[in-house]
Amino acid sequence: MLPLFPPLVMGIWKRAAEFNARLIFLENPLGLCLGGFVFWTFFALLFRFPTRIYVMAHEFTHALFVKLCGGKVKKISVRSDRGFILSDRTNFLIALAPYLFPFYAVIWSLLGLLTIFLLPFSRWQVVFWVGFGFCLGYHWTMTARMLTTRQSDFSSQGYFFSFVLIISVNLFLLLFILLLLPHPHEFPHRISGMAIDTLRSYQRVLQFLYSYFRR
């Protein structure tokens, strides 16, 4: 997965360099998401977020991916400072799911889709996008905080593999949002360019390995 890093980082850098003050601070989805992220940052600095809320999302994400992998969840325990699940199987996806899957952002998005059937989206889109940015900010800051701890989730899968996968997936999520917003109609063209850059990155690695082992 390491060859993914250069195209992901360069893609984020190139996309961010295209933005200007008018585009970011205008009332568009990207600007509103950024506002939600900033709001979360101030919230996290001023208040202590209840740990139980994170533990609940953490354990329920484990349980969700156990079900997606065809397993059975036998027990879920959520306390104020720790939690665990008992299941009949595990793998790297189940173990690392809470750091890859933005639980509250997905829940918020599903609630938004349900609300569309009741209210015109134009009336509450500001609330939706700000809340979405808030939830993503929560996911990223909590994930970054957990990377500094000695989690059994990481030790069971290997720290190096775990960190590479977690960072790669979250960088891809950030790049996906930057490519999608604020002009969704440009997304197919931008994602195809991203795919080409990724293939070139792997091609360079393969060429290097081929030339190295031919010596």
Side-chain angles (χ1 to χ4, degrees):
M1 292 182 294
L2 286 175
L4 275 176
F5 273 67
L8 286 174
V9 174
M10 290 305 299
I12 292 171
W13 177 264
K14 287 164 59 177
R15 183 65 178 139
E18 296 175 1
F19 299 140
N20 53 48
R22 180 178 178 275
L23 185 62
I24 293 177
F25 294 104
L26 197 64
E27 286 190 3
N28 61 62
L30 181 63
L32 295 173
C33 281
L34 181 61
F37 184 86
V38 173
F39 179 63
W40 157 254
T41 302
F42 280 108
F43 184 89
L45 291 174
L46 295 176
F47 302 99
R48 182 179 178 183
F49 206 74
T51 310
R52 185 186 293 269
I53 294 178
Y54 174 75
V55 174
M56 182 179 69
H58 187 102
E59 303 306 334
F60 272 86
T61 304
H62 279 310
L64 172 63
F65 276 78
V66 168
K67 300 297 291 184
L68 291 175
C69 292
K72 294 182 180 179
V73 179
K74 300 176 181 178
K75 181 180 180 180
I76 301 178
S77 174
V78 175
R79 298 185 181 181
S80 60
D81 58 345
R82 63 186 183 276
F84 65 89
I85 72 165
L86 296 178
S87 65
D88 63 347
R89 70 182 58 194
T90 186
N91 55 42
F92 77 93
L93 191 59
I94 293 171
L96 302 178
Y99 316 101
L100 312 175
F101 183 79
F103 183 84
Y104 287 118
V106 172
I107 296 298
W108 180 263
S109 299
L110 292 176
L111 291 175
L113 289 175
L114 291 176
T115 310
I116 288 176
F117 294 100
L118 302 175
L119 296 171
F121 185 62
S122 58
R123 292 185 180 181
W124 62 281
Q125 65 171 327
V126 172
V127 176
F128 174 80
W129 289 116
V130 170
F132 185 71
F134 184 91
C135 293
L136 280 179
Y138 169 77
H139 169 71
W140 283 328
T141 53
M142 293 303 294
T143 297
R145 182 181 300 178
M146 297 304 292
L147 289 177
T148 64
T149 64
R150 298 182 63 84
Q151 281 285 324
S152 60
D153 296 335
F154 305 147
S155 60
S156 65
Q157 307 303 313
Y159 282 95
F160 185 75
F161 170 77
S162 299
F163 290 177
V164 170
L165 180 64
I166 291 168
I167 294 172
S168 296
V169 171
N170 283 282
L171 284 176
F172 181 80
L173 176 60
L174 174 60
L175 181 58
F176 178 85
I177 294 170
L178 293 178
L179 293 176
L180 183 65
L181 302 177
H183 304 299
H185 63 278
E186 298 178 359
F187 179 73
H189 171 71
R190 295 185 183 279
I191 200 66
S192 63
M194 170 64 193
I196 292 172
D197 290 341
T198 303
L199 290 175
R200 287 174 177 170
S201 179
Y202 277 94
Q203 185 180 24
R204 293 189 187 100
V205 172
L206 292 174
Q207 288 174 345
F208 170 78
L209 293 175
Y210 178 74
S211 60
Y212 178 82
F213 286 108
R214 281 195 63 188
R215 294 177 183 176

